[in-house]
Amino acid sequence: MEQREEIIAFLKTLREEILTAFGGYENYACFERTPWSYHNGTGGGEMGVMRGQFFEKAAVNWSGIAGDNFPMKDGTGPFFATGISLITHMQNPHAPTVHMNLRYIETNDMHWFGGGYDLTPMGFPYPEDTEHFHKVAKEALGEERYVEFSSNAKDYFFIPHWKKERGVGGIFFDHFNSGDFASDLQMWKRVGSTFLQTILPIYRRRVNQPYTPEEREVQLKMRAHYVEFNLLYDRGTQFGFASGGNPEAILCSLPPLVKW
């Protein structure tokens, strides 16, 4: 139980740091917080959604739930799951979408950590942004673990029907349990703690960059690929619905405007 409390405290503190950092970009907008209760068991969560001048939509959510029957095939019996997830959809087409997720899950017979962060330019990738994003990840994880997790991201964020990755990669891990809980927890925390270092310098470069109506059209069409991945392939979406989670919170990842 102490482990759960430490994990939840870390997630909530990190979430507040991210809310503050993102909210600092907006002069008039703030995050609207909406709590929800888990009706299939115990616990619940809180959505945090902001719509503003720079962030067309940003969602930074937390949840912590427990139930009698783990809904996925990789566990049985009672379960506990907690995590934060976030997404940004920017007004400026030159400012990329970023996604981050951290989760911890316990079942009857196992526990594991998961998460990562990845970058998705909406039609306008910049090599210097990609290089910075991956550099922070590599420094956080070390060479060996970075190579493993970045390879995972290439595989996981691949869109089969378009035969391409949805963005320029990042890091991804799931069902991670090395047998050393303390070491795994510290690695997991480093991923979360370095997230803002990956994206804030990029946004400082891009949110005020001039753009044209034509570039906005490109952005909206590229968002369609993001929607397709999240609805068809994303494990978090699948787990959320299978476990009876809050549909509005699960679908927070979708952009407010998109074109096909």
Side-chain angles (χ1 to χ4, degrees), residues 125-190:
Y126 290 92
E128 61 269 33
D129 293 352
T130 302
E131 180 181 357
H132 167 79
F133 196 84
H134 283 269
K135 180 174 182 289
V136 174
K138 184 182 293 187
E139 291 174 349
L141 292 170
E143 178 72 25
E144 183 177 353
R145 193 71 74 194
Y146 165 77
V147 169
E148 176 187 356
F149 288 178
S150 62
S151 177
N152 291 348
K154 286 180 181 294
D155 292 338
Y156 179 69
F157 294 112
F158 186 80
I159 306 176
H161 58 278
W162 290 115
K163 296 180 173 58
K164 71 178 187 68
E165 291 181 66
R166 77 175 186 186
V168 295
I171 54 174
F172 175 81
F173 58 101
D174 200 8
H175 296 87
F176 187 84
N177 181 342
S178 72
D180 185 336
F181 184 90
S183 175
D184 295 350
L185 177 60
Q186 290 307 309
M187 180 278 294
W188 182 79
K189 285 183 175 181
R190 283 197 305 276

Side-chain angles (χ1 to χ4, degrees), residues 1 21 26 44 65 71-72 75 82 90 108 118 144 149 182 187 193 196 200 212 223 230-231 237 247 255-256 258:
M1 191 61 69
E26 303 292 349
I65 62 173
M72 311 298 277
T82 186
M90 310 304 290
N108 239 355
D118 66 289
E144 183 177 353
F149 288 178
M187 180 278 294
S193 297
L196 286 174
L200 292 184
T212 66
R223 282 179 177 176
N230 278 26
L231 294 181
T237 302
V258 63

Side-chain angles (χ1 to χ4, degrees), residues 31-71:
F31 279 90
E32 179 180 354
R33 297 169 181 258
T34 305
W36 58 273
S37 297
Y38 182 49
H39 299 294
N40 285 22
T42 60
E46 184 181 79
M47 295 183 292
V49 180
M50 176 177 70
R51 302 172 190 268
Q53 178 182 357
F54 300 107
F55 291 82
E56 189 172 357
K57 178 184 178 183
V60 188
N61 298 340
W62 172 81
S63 64
I65 62 173
D68 293 331
N69 295 292
F70 190 68

Side-chain angles (χ1 to χ4, degrees), residues 14-25 31 33 196:
L14 176 61
R15 178 175 181 254
E16 292 302 318
E17 292 173 357
I18 296 168
L19 291 169
T20 298
F22 285 176
Y25 275 81
F31 279 90
R33 297 169 181 258
L196 286 174

Side-chain angles (χ1 to χ4, degrees), residues 57-116:
K57 178 184 178 183
V60 188
N61 298 340
W62 172 81
S63 64
I65 62 173
D68 293 331
N69 295 292
F70 190 68
M72 311 298 277
K73 63 182 180 181
D74 42 11
T76 59
F79 74 95
F80 167 76
T82 186
I84 58 173
S85 61
L86 70 84
I87 188 69
T88 64
H89 296 292
M90 310 304 290
Q91 294 281 2
N92 193 316
H94 297 278
T97 283
V98 72
H99 159 261
M100 191 273 279
N101 170 272
L102 284 180
R103 57 193 172 276
Y104 171 73
I105 297 176
E106 293 178 0
T107 67
N108 239 355
D109 48 4
M110 66 184 74
H111 72 266
W112 65 84
F113 294 92

